[in-house]
Every structure is written in C-alpha cells, then in structure tokens.
Amino acid sequence: MSTPPQAFAPAQAILELGDAFYDPVAPADFPQAKLRFRNDRWAARVGLGDLDDAQWVRHFARFAPLPGTLPRPLALRYHGHQFRVYNPDIGDGRGFLYAQLRDDRGRLLDLGTKGSGQTPYSRFGDGRLTLKGGVREILATEMLEALGVETSKSFSLIETGEALDRGDEPSPTRSAVLVRLSHGHIRIGSFQRLAYHRDTDDLARLTDYVLRHYFDDASGDPVRLLDAVVARTARLAGQYMAAGFVHGVLNSDNINVTGESFDYGPWRFLPSWDPGFTAAYFDHAGLYAFGRQPEAIHWDVFQLAICLRLLVDSAPLIPIMESFAQRYAEAFRAALLWRLGVAPGADDAALVEAIEHGLATSQVDVASFFHQSFGGRIPDALGPAFAEARGLLLGYRPRTSRDAFWDGPVCAMLIEEVEALWAAIAERDDWGPFAAKITAIRAMGDALADA
C-alpha cells in the first residue's frame, strides 16, 4: 500500500491544559541506541519519513525535540481502577508524551514512549522496557491494524544496551525503548484523577479539550463527550471480539477516551473460540477473559460517567450508558462481517450468532476459519457445526471475489509463534523471521483493506 508524502505538521495542543495535567521529565541516558524497527508507513503519513537512521535515533532514543512540537517530554497524570481496585498512585511511570503532530487526515496524534526512564510515577519501577516486550507490542499492533482494529501504532523500537531483571522473563534480559503513535493519551483514568480531587474546573477543561481535539466538537458538553466515548469504546469492543483478540488488562487507565486500543502487556489471539480464554497469568478470576471484554470496557466507561456526574445531572447520562450494549452488538456484527468479507445483509444478527456457534462447537482454528471462509463460502471440510451459517450466507454478497483477496498462507499470531520469533532474536540475534512476519501481516492487511 503506497503512502503519499505528507508534510510534518507539529502541534502543542496538550499545553492548553496547563501544568496541572503533567510533569516535565527527562529521558533516560541509554548506554547504546541500536535501531531495530521503524514504521516507515506511518512515518510517511506524519511527515517524518525522510529522517535518516541517525536522525531517527536522535529523536526516538535520545529524544531531541522535534521542531515545533513539545519542548520537553511530559509525564501525564492519571489514576485508575486496576482489576476493579481504585489506585490513586499511578501515572506515566515508564513513559511520557514526547511530541504531538497531525497526520495526513489532519488528526491530532501523540508520540508517546514506553521504557524511556523513570518519572515521578515510577514508584519502585526502573522505568525500562524489555526488548521482548517491545517486540511483542509491535506484533500485536501490526496484527490488530491489519484486522481492522483501532489501535496505536508501534512507531519505533530501539535497543538500549541495559540488562534488566524481570520476574516473568529469563533474566538478565535485553532492554529497549518503544515509541507509539496514537490518537491521544487521554484515558478514563485522566478524568478519574480530577474527580478524585473534586477538581471540577480542570474536569471541565479536560472535557472541552477532548471534545475539541478528538471529536471536532466545540460544545464542551459532558453529555456529548460520554456519548462519543461510549460509541468509540463499544466499537473497539466489537473489533476485539471479531479479531479474536484478548487485551489482557482492560483497567480504566488503559482505556483511551478516543476508543483506540493501546498498551499491550499479556495479550493473546485466540487459538479457538473460547469465551473464558484469558491472556494474563495473574487474571485468576477471568475478569478480562475474551468473552468478558465488552462487559469490562462498559464498566470502565461507567467510571467516566461517574466522573462527569460532577459536571452534569445523571439523567441524560443514563440512557447513553444503556446504549452501550446495542452499539457493541452492531459494531461486532459489522467487524465480523468485514473480516468474513461479505457486505451487511438482512440476517446479520442470526448469521453472526450462527458463526459464533460454529466456532465454539467445532473449535476450529479461528484465523484459519476466516482465511478459508473469506467471501462467504465456509468450506464443507470445516464440518456440520457451520451448517446454519452456510445456509444464511447464501443470501450475502461478497465484498470481492475470493481469488482477489489473498493467495498466501493463513496469517495468524498465536503465542507459540510469538515465542519462536523472539527465540530467534534472543538466541541468534536473528531479526529475519520477525521482519518476514511483519511483511506477511501487512500483506494480509492490505488485502483485507482493499477487498
């Protein structure tokens, strides 16, 4: 997919909020900076495609300011519910907002970091990121983008030459700094911090900021903000489910009010359709299991409604919150039909239910099912569990011919392959399989987008 050249368009919108929302910080001074990944597709879309590798490292490992954007990094302040327990002692603990800019559609975007050093919110952490964690985040974001999920983009990964000790990885392990490109870093937890302090002036200021910059709405109306966030987050929940993706940690500080997924820790893609499948080994109760993700996101957005109650009466907020279920159902149907490669039809709800039943009953590989069935023809070899779905699909129009879609192998992202890709890097410093996987993911994504 070719990307037309775009002029660099720096921005400083976050400074409108004032210093009650962030803390200026300094990046870590890393002993080395070895460029491992640069997202040239998105660099072109934000006017940074012409940077050579030396300039890239200067900006995305040493964090020299980009011209016209933020003069120094900012660690954002927020609170949040973590596994339903409120925590007022969090914030950007190993990352910061490095720059703001606009893309080729004029949208305000952030460049934010992960693993860039300690901040006032690091608590007892070292502020660093493992190289494996960075590799895993790239794989997650590339796959989600290809599958049509609204997600942050992994923009840069640079190995930093430190040895890190981690309890969940063989240690010492290699270190890195990741830069994300995202549609803002304002979280539900950003509103929760202000509500916790009963700071209604700044709560209104943040409401106005988000509406103006992310929803093109100058009203400053908290009701309209909640409606926009419910719509976006319900869409995200539907996209997660159609992608067979489990985020793993859907805490309220991990929910972006723009409805864009970000911050990938213990994520997984489903091997088979299992509502109880969890991604985080520490999620013992299955709070964020695959099938509970819509509920979890709805619960988080309800925390935003509670915050906005300080600015407006609850009466207009209630029907908006009640609309989440219907909006989610519509988003899930749309995303699943898109992945299946058929245009919406007269029996969408029944078709989606039949496909879910078939997937759960047959326990076929999820990625293989969608690959083989693209265009609305479910192979007989997938078994009788899909009999009802096959019949319903007779009335559906494919978005494109099956042959025009994809002639490559199934492109999946199960944990076994993630570990194998990392093993090649960890054991032999062989980045070839990783690069080949990114190429395959993007080819699949281009085919889906063009279908």
Side-chain angles (χ1 to χ4, degrees), residues 303-326:
Q303 308 316 304
L304 174 62
I306 292 172
C307 297
L308 297 177
R309 179 64 185 83
L310 295 178
L311 300 178
V312 68
D313 186 77
S314 60
L317 303 178
I318 293 170
I320 294 172
M321 290 305 305
E322 291 175 341
S323 74
F324 184 96
Q326 180 62 30

Side-chain angles (χ1 to χ4, degrees), residues 340-343 374-377 393 396-402 451:
L340 191 62
V342 297
F374 189 87
R377 300 197 307 270
L393 276 168
Y396 278 75
R397 177 177 60 82
R399 297 203 328 262
T400 187
S401 72
R402 176 66 177 84

Side-chain angles (χ1 to χ4, degrees), residues 15 83 89 94 235 441:
L15 300 182
F83 285 84
D89 297 320
R94 58 171 173 167
R235 180 184 66 182
I441 291 169

Side-chain angles (χ1 to χ4, degrees), residues 401-412:
S401 72
R402 176 66 177 84
D403 294 339
F405 162 57
W406 179 242
D407 58 3
V410 177
C411 186

Side-chain angles (χ1 to χ4, degrees), residues 290-305:
F290 172 64
R292 296 185 68 184
Q293 291 183 120
E295 169 203 339
I297 293 173
H298 187 204
W299 190 92
D300 287 328
V301 179
F302 187 73
Q303 308 316 304
L304 174 62

Side-chain angles (χ1 to χ4, degrees), residues 347-358:
D347 298 309
D348 292 352
L351 175 60
V352 168
E353 184 177 349
I355 289 172
E356 279 196 275
H357 172 78

Side-chain angles (χ1 to χ4, degrees), residues 363-391:
Q363 290 294 286
V364 301
D365 175 80
V366 173
S368 180
F369 166 79
F370 283 104
H371 180 85
Q372 293 183 60
S373 305
F374 189 87
R377 300 197 307 270
I378 302 176
D380 292 339
L382 292 180
F386 295 99
E388 182 182 359
R390 287 191 191 95

